[in-house]
Amino acid sequence: MSSWHNGGVSVFQSLRAVFHPSDAPAIRMPARLPERPVIVASGGVAAQPPIYLRPLTLDDEDEWNAVRWDNRDWLAPWDSGDPTHGAPLTFNTWIQRQRRSEEQGAGALFGIIHNGRIVGQISLGAISYGSMRTGVVGYWVSRQVAGHGFAPLALALLADWALADPDGPRLHRLEIAILPENYRSRRVVEKIGAHHEGLRPKYMYINGRWRDHETYSLLAEDAGEGFAARLMAARRSA
């Protein structure tokens, strides 16, 4: 029986090249993003965004819990869950797992900070290296700051780091999956110019059932002068 080959490499070798753990370097987490003011494309002016991203730590437990509790009803329709109904994580365990995820090159988590306070969260997970170099992005913002453009700016800052920063994970593709009725989140990806890739049936477990999601992507080739620079320039000219 002949084996299936692709370009002279067996399919099993190809899959090994995609997911082999030796291709997963530890993620070097920045103290904050952006690390310096953004050079806005229109005129080359350096500008400080109204938000920044930073890694969450054990010291953030009380503040993070307060923000999530205040927004529990606001976020409930979009919260993913565990279909196996495993035991819930404590904040301490969650942060410890995140540190291991960073060490293994598997994911990164940032708080969205405005005026020194946590107003949301953005994460990069399910990272694959090798011939794919892709990751999945999730985010939320507090209802108190919704409509201020913080979510698209957070996504832009994360994309600049994950796709184009030499000190970032240097991925090629970011994926964002959105429930079809989540119009606010759809506006986030539209503002940053994400590619609509179509509907994925039963993609994620939400509120007790598997739900279809619209998927969008950002590519390294899209970065240009920077996602955040373009977004901030567009806001200035609006």
Side-chain angles (χ1 to χ4, degrees), residues 131-152:
S131 58
M132 290 185 68
R133 303 201 73 86
T134 187
V136 177
V137 177
Y139 50 81
W140 59 265
V141 295
S142 168
R143 186 170 191 170
Q144 284 68 33
V145 300
H148 291 272
F150 291 172

Side-chain angles (χ1 to χ4, degrees), residues 164-203:
D165 192 324
D167 294 326
R170 291 177 294 174
L171 302 181
H172 177 255
R173 176 180 178 275
L174 300 181
E175 178 182 303
I176 308 101
I178 299 170
L179 286 167
E181 66 270 26
N182 192 346
Y183 301 110
R184 284 184 178 273
S185 196
R186 185 179 299 175
R187 286 293 297 140
V188 169
V189 294
E190 289 173 349
K191 286 180 180 179
I192 199 174
H195 306 278
H196 182 223
E197 296 187 337
L199 186 72
R200 289 196 176 183
K202 313 299 181 187
Y203 179 76

Side-chain angles (χ1 to χ4, degrees), residues 38-39 46-47 64 101 110 125 136 142 146 166 172 185 194 208 211 225:
V38 174
I39 305 300
W64 187 91
S101 182
F110 297 92
V136 177
S142 168
H172 177 255
S185 196
R211 297 290 311 278
E225 69 274 19

Side-chain angles (χ1 to χ4, degrees), residues 24-237:
I27 295 175
R28 294 190 293 173
M29 294 293 288
R32 62 182 287 165
L33 292 174
E35 296 182 283
R36 58 191 63 85
V38 174
I39 305 300
V40 179
S42 58
V45 178
Q48 193 66 50
I51 63 165
Y52 65 91
L53 312 181
R54 67 162 175 80
L56 292 173
T57 71
L58 293 175
D59 292 337
D60 292 315
E61 180 174 6
D62 290 344
E63 184 179 349
W64 187 91
N65 282 333
V67 174
R68 284 291 299 190
W69 180 257
D70 287 345
N71 287 274
R72 62 193 183 280
D73 295 333
W74 165 253
L75 298 173
W78 327 115
D79 270 349
S80 58
D82 179 2
T84 66
H85 306 295
L89 297 178
T90 65
F91 187 86
N92 186 297
T93 301
W94 179 55
I95 292 297
Q96 289 179 349
R97 287 191 180 184
Q98 186 54 46
R99 296 291 92 86
R100 288 198 299 270
S101 182
E102 295 160 8
E103 292 169 2
Q104 296 165 0
L109 178 73
F110 297 92
I112 303 172
I113 312 299
H114 174 62
N115 289 338
R117 307 294 295 177
I118 297 171
V119 296
Q121 174 186 305
I122 189 164
S123 62
L124 171 62
I127 293 178
S128 297
Y129 293 92
S131 58
M132 290 185 68
R133 303 201 73 86
T134 187
V136 177
V137 177
Y139 50 81
W140 59 265
V141 295
S142 168
R143 186 170 191 170
Q144 284 68 33
V145 300
H148 291 272
F150 291 172
L153 185 52
L155 178 56
L157 293 170
L158 181 75
D160 283 336
W161 171 73
L163 299 176
D165 192 324
D167 294 326
R170 291 177 294 174
L171 302 181
H172 177 255
R173 176 180 178 275
L174 300 181
E175 178 182 303
I176 308 101
I178 299 170
L179 286 167
E181 66 270 26
N182 192 346
Y183 301 110
R184 284 184 178 273
S185 196
R186 185 179 299 175
R187 286 293 297 140
V188 169
V189 294
E190 289 173 349
K191 286 180 180 179
I192 199 174
H195 306 278
H196 182 223
E197 296 187 337
L199 186 72
R200 289 196 176 183
K202 313 299 181 187
Y203 179 76
M204 194 178 299
Y205 194 76
I206 305 288
N207 282 337
R209 59 194 178 103
W210 292 99
R211 297 290 311 278
D212 298 349
H213 280 66
E214 297 284 352
T215 56
Y216 295 80
S217 66
L218 294 170
L219 306 178
E221 291 88 345
D222 301 328
E225 69 274 19
F227 293 99
R230 283 200 303 272
L231 187 63
M232 292 172 66
R235 292 179 64 178
R236 283 190 170 198
S237 61

